[in-house]
Amino acid sequence: MYFAALLARTEDGWEASDTELDDVETLSDLTDLAREASEEDTVLVLIEQEDAWFGVVRVDGEEDPRIYVSDAAAAARSSYGEILLTDELLGREPGDDDADLDSLDLDGTEDGEPDDADDSEDDEEEESVSGEIVSHSPVGDREILADLGVSEKELLALDEGDALSTIAEALGAAEVLETVR
């Protein structure tokens, strides 16, 4: 189950709106959606997949969007997460989506046969749709909310289950977020 909301900072405080992501296919689409909410002020797009991962996209006027994703591997398995996981965010060269021999898993196992040699790595990493290994770790701008009252340390310590509520509470926007939840 997914939840997505826009929080726009205005002169009167934060305004929240439930947002539909069905027509959003790229980060650019998501950025445009945020800018429609407010062209000059800070807009936060908050996205979560229940108990799996959450993401924050921050759009400040015409600046490039800033992104934070709590669990890259979990988000890579999600259509909404894939929107946020840009090449830059994952440290890849743009257009590096084509699998080549170096990125293939040539460990000698057959399709569907588990690789018993190193099961501990399975806990740390997952394969994304493009065949690249994506870690179960946070990616993106860890200071994305620092000037709004959520430090890097606090952001990294958030539990996926209640992260958006905790962020909204720190921003003083808990009530407005709950009205669209």
Side-chain angles (χ1 to χ4, degrees):
M1 172 127 192
Y2 291 95
F3 172 73
L6 289 173
L7 283 179
R9 186 166 57 179
T10 67
E11 293 176 3
D12 300 326
W14 291 94
E15 292 180 5
S17 59
D18 188 13
T19 189
E20 191 62 46
L21 298 179
D22 291 342
D23 296 330
V24 174
E25 295 179 7
T26 65
L27 180 59
S28 180
D29 293 343
L30 189 61
T31 302
D32 291 344
L33 185 68
R35 287 193 177 117
E36 287 174 15
S38 177
E39 292 181 16
E40 297 173 14
D41 294 317
T42 298
V43 178
L44 301 176
V45 181
L46 305 174
I47 302 172
E48 72 180 357
Q49 181 180 359
E50 193 171 293
D51 296 331
W53 66 275
F54 70 92
V56 178
V57 178
R58 179 175 176 165
V59 179
D60 292 303
E62 290 299 315
E63 293 181 30
D64 288 340
R66 295 166 59 191
I67 304 165
Y68 173 82
V69 176
S70 67
D71 183 330
R77 294 187 308 267
S78 154
S79 58
Y80 297 134
E82 285 185 338
I83 292 170
L84 305 181
L85 296 175
T86 63
D87 289 336
E88 181 181 343
L89 197 67
L90 294 175
R92 298 185 303 212
E93 291 295 319
D96 230 7
D97 293 338
D98 296 333
D100 58 17
L101 287 178
D102 293 332
S103 67
L104 293 177
D105 182 14
L106 301 175
D107 64 1
T109 60
E110 296 294 323
D111 288 340
E113 182 181 328
D115 178 12
D116 294 330
D118 194 359
D119 286 338
S120 65
E121 278 189 43
D122 291 341
D123 295 338
E124 296 297 319
E125 298 176 339
E126 292 245 345
E127 277 196 49
S128 72
V129 176
S130 67
E132 290 190 32
I133 301 296
V134 178
S135 175
H136 273 288
S137 61
V139 293
D141 185 349
R142 296 175 178 195
E143 295 287 323
I144 192 169
L145 301 171
D147 64 324
L148 299 174
V150 181
S151 71
E152 174 183 358
K153 184 178 179 181
E154 292 168 321
L155 186 62
L156 292 171
L158 291 175
D159 176 47
E160 276 81 2
D162 62 352
L164 299 189
S165 297
T166 303
I167 290 169
E169 188 174 316
L171 301 175
E175 287 182 26
V176 293
L177 181 65
E178 286 305 312
T179 62
V180 297
R181 203 175 259 280

